[in-house]
Amino acid sequence: MKRSYVIRTFGCQMNEHDSERIAGLLEADGMERGDDLADADVVVLNTCCIRENADNKLYGALGNLKTLKESNPGMLIAVAGCLAQKDRDLIRERAGHVDVVFGTHNVSRAADLLTQASEHGPVVEILEAVARDDEEAFPSALPTRREVDHAAWVTVQIGCDNKCAFCIVPAVRGPEISRPFGDLIDEVERLAADGVSEITFLGQNVNSYGRDLALARRGTPANDDEWMCGASWTADRRARPLFADLLRVAGEVDGIHRIRYTSPHPKDMRSDTFAAMAEVEAVCEHLHFPLQSGSDRILAAMHRGYTAERYLERLAEARSAIPGLAVSTDIIVGFPGETDTDFEATLAVAAIAQFDSAFTFIFSPRPGTEAAALESDFVPHDVAVERYERLRLVIERSSIAANRTRVGMIEEITVEGISKKDSSMTTGRTRRNALIHFPTDQPIKVGSYARVEVLEASVNHLKGRLVEKTIPARHRTRIAVAAG
Ligand code: SF4
């Protein structure tokens, strides 16, 4: 009997990508994906530490696993990800039934550490950082087990050089390391050959991609400059390879029909990225543009490196460069010291920006961040909740307004499967990253493309009617077809 594994992923796309790699490593080690935690031979919890309740979620899950392990003593439990990177041995001190703890810099060791633990007992292995030339530093160098067959994450850089006062990422993911340009394009071509038609470039700050590569190359010019930094950097001898170069070259790869990316940082956003988004057919008309706050005083306290005015200028430039652009954002309310005036500024900027959607959060102090030490300035929770509700209404107003402008239009969609809420409907995703539900009388394969006329709009999704199927899915199917 093949041993089975179950992976539970908390947090962001970077963690989802790491989990696909951990799954790939375990399958390469002869295991198969299991569904039932109780019967699993291996359980991996891939953790996040961005939010306060991240700890509660982990130790709550470990509490449940303790009971399951009592009736399945052969089960191996591993804790990975950002909270493992931050808490290290503390995790086994609080949960002695954990067998393996590994962090964000040694995902490649997952299978080996599990074998080591099964033979020699519990192991905690946390690396401080990765070396630039460490092949396995980039999850994309490892075997993978993708969640969906037609779409893939492609990591362009790991780590972050920014020091946002509320963020623990630099502490747990290390400094920015950009992946060699040639490596990235190679992977995009491999994915396209494997039937993938949509890629999402991943990084904590994608538009600073390549900054470190050029510096490294200047130090040691060599004949593989093109591999490291791309043909256009080599040809133009520019300051650095650009994220825009990546969008342009990846957009020429046969079979790649859609390109998305997350996350850019407004202070590093460049006009050449907007130009590439406008000119490269495959790049979708969606920009995730984290604002965080609309108050210059709070933006400075957060060390975001831009003002509200500068943010809105960049946003206006993006919208004029890219017709039909949808914009989503991240906003934190209740950052330490935030006054009513600061919050009103956030509401005002959100109203001007007219976001299509937003992830809004109440500030939560993360041990190890600068902001967590500002306890005397913490905003009372009830005040933060009241502000959160007011902001949510402003965002909902602009979301519904934006979705209503799509009624009557024909959207190109990718089929994502049967609607979770209504099995008679099929769910698709537009190029602007909106969900759309529509009835079909014939099953449509997940990953196929179609044109759908928008008939109705609501805050979080659209409804429509199928006009025609366009591009069939190219990947080999492993998952169920959509409803019919
Ligand atoms: S840019 Fe700021 S918020 Fe984003 S990962 Fe880096 S430090 Fe965190």
Side-chain angles (χ1 to χ4, degrees):
M1 277 284 291
K2 270 193 172 186
R3 289 174 304 138
S4 69
Y5 71 86
V6 170
I7 300 177
R8 290 280 179 272
T9 306
F10 302 93
C12 69
Q13 295 104 328
M14 203 60 99
N15 262 13
E16 287 176 29
H17 193 21
D18 286 351
S19 290
E20 290 184 338
R21 301 298 169 186
I22 295 168
L25 288 161
L26 299 184
E27 292 193 6
D29 200 43
M31 292 187 215
E32 63 183 1
R33 179 185 289 208
D35 296 320
D36 187 357
L37 267 179
D39 306 333
D41 298 296
V42 167
V43 176
V44 180
L45 302 179
N46 191 7
T47 62
C48 165
C49 66
I50 286 286
R51 302 267 160 259
E52 189 152 24
N53 62 0
D55 303 44
N56 313 338
K57 279 188 185 162
L58 170 65
Y59 293 108
L62 287 173
N64 299 338
L65 283 174
K66 189 164 195 280
T67 320
L68 293 179
K69 190 165 179 169
E70 276 147 16
S71 51
N72 176 6
M75 174 193 284
L76 287 175
I77 300 172
V79 176
C82 294
L83 197 51
Q85 182 74 27
K86 183 172 84 65
D87 283 4
R88 305 169 185 228
D89 299 293
L90 179 62
I91 290 176
R92 272 192 37 76
E93 283 161 28
R94 290 183 62 176
H97 56 290
V98 170
D99 302 284
V100 177
V101 179
F102 63 97
T104 55
H105 301 313
N106 55 345
V107 170
S108 59
R109 298 265 295 142
D112 301 344
L113 291 169
L114 283 160
T115 306
Q116 190 181 326
S118 64
E119 294 164 0
H120 309 295
V123 55
V124 175
E125 184 186 280
I126 301 291
L127 302 186
E128 285 311 325
V130 289
R132 160 172 303 289
D133 53 6
D134 176 348
E135 258 298 304
E136 299 188 341
F138 289 98
S140 306
L142 303 169
T144 182
R145 174 68 156 82
R146 279 198 309 278
E147 276 304 312
V148 289
D149 296 310
H150 69 278
W153 311 107
V154 178
T155 302
V156 302
Q157 95 205 128
I158 50 179
C160 184
D161 288 348
N162 294 307
K163 294 280 177 283
C164 300
F166 53 81
C167 184
I168 194 73
V169 170
V172 291
R173 293 249 174 207
E176 263 165 43
I177 300 179
S178 297
R179 208 166 142 218
F181 199 95
D183 226 13
L184 279 165
I185 298 305
D186 246 20
E187 185 183 353
V188 173
E189 287 165 349
R190 276 201 310 275
L191 289 167
D194 191 31
V196 167
S197 63
E198 176 168 332
I199 58 167
T200 300
F201 285 129
L202 273 186
Q204 307 293 356
N205 182 6
V206 290
N207 40 359
S208 67
Y209 170 78
R211 193 161 46 195
D212 52 317
L213 282 177
L215 292 172
R217 302 314 304 161
R218 291 248 143 60
T220 56
N223 53 18
D224 62 353
D225 272 0
E226 195 159 319
W227 175 260
M228 288 299 279
C229 300
S232 20
W233 179 76
T234 313
D236 313 356
R237 301 313 290 172
R238 270 194 269 110
R240 45 168 276 211
L242 298 170
F243 184 61
D245 301 339
L246 210 46
L247 293 176
R248 290 183 185 283
V249 177
E252 286 157 16
V253 173
D254 199 19
I256 296 299
H257 191 67
R258 283 187 172 186
I259 299 176
R260 302 183 185 278
Y261 66 87
T262 193
S263 260
H265 192 301
K267 77 172 172 51
D268 296 324
M269 186 48 97
R270 300 169 56 99
S271 307
D272 42 53
T273 300
F274 296 150
M277 290 181 74
E279 293 156 19
V280 178
E281 172 55 31
V283 179
C284 291
E285 297 76 21
H286 170 239
L287 171 66
H288 183 65
F289 210 38
L291 169 69
Q292 303 300 8
S293 172
S295 151
D296 289 350
R297 200 179 69 81
I298 295 297
L299 286 170
M302 288 174 165
H303 310 315
R304 289 294 289 170
Y306 53 84
T307 61
E309 187 189 358
R310 184 76 186 126
Y311 178 92
L312 290 171
E313 276 170 11
R314 301 255 72 176
L315 184 57
E317 185 191 349
R319 284 189 166 137
S320 71
I322 308 154
L325 181 71
V327 180
S328 58
T329 194
D330 298 333
I331 300 177
I332 295 173
V333 299
F335 184 80
E338 184 187 70
T339 62
D340 288 345
T341 311
D342 294 320
F343 178 64
E344 293 304 329
T346 296
L347 284 184
V349 172
I352 295 166
Q354 286 293 298
F355 294 113
D356 293 71
S357 63
F359 299 97
T360 49
F361 310 96
I362 292 179
F363 170 74
S364 98
R366 299 308 305 137
T369 63
E370 184 187 324
L374 305 173
E375 280 185 53
S376 58
D377 294 334
F378 281 4
V379 173
H381 189 63
D382 58 338
V383 173
V385 169
E386 187 263 342
R387 289 175 182 169
Y388 178 87
E389 280 309 310
R390 290 179 58 200
L391 176 63
R392 192 176 58 70
L393 293 176
V394 169
I395 299 293
E396 282 196 2
R397 263 200 301 275
S398 60
S399 299
I400 185 79
N403 281 344
R404 282 194 180 125
T405 64
R406 311 308 293 182
V407 173
M409 299 176 87
I410 307 284
E411 297 273 12
E412 183 214 59
I413 65 103
T414 314
V415 172
E416 295 200 340
I418 303 160
S419 163
K420 293 192 178 67
K421 293 208 181 87
D422 176 348
S423 60
S424 70
M425 299 287 268
T426 294
T427 296
R429 188 173 294 275
T430 71
R431 291 175 60 91
R432 302 171 81 253
N433 206 32
L435 281 182
I436 184 161
H437 309 294
F438 55 100
T440 51
D441 49 12
Q442 288 297 320
I444 307 180
K445 189 178 174 184
V446 171
S448 308
Y449 291 82
R451 297 173 70 239
V452 173
E453 180 186 5
V454 180
L455 302 176
E456 284 172 50
S458 67
V459 171
N460 301 317
H461 66 268
L462 305 168
K463 279 195 178 162
R465 73 173 181 86
L466 177 65
V467 174
E468 62 175 330
K469 288 181 263 182
T470 52
I471 308 169
R474 288 183 305 109
H475 60 269
R476 289 180 306 286
T477 302
R478 265 185 303 150
I479 47 180
V481 295

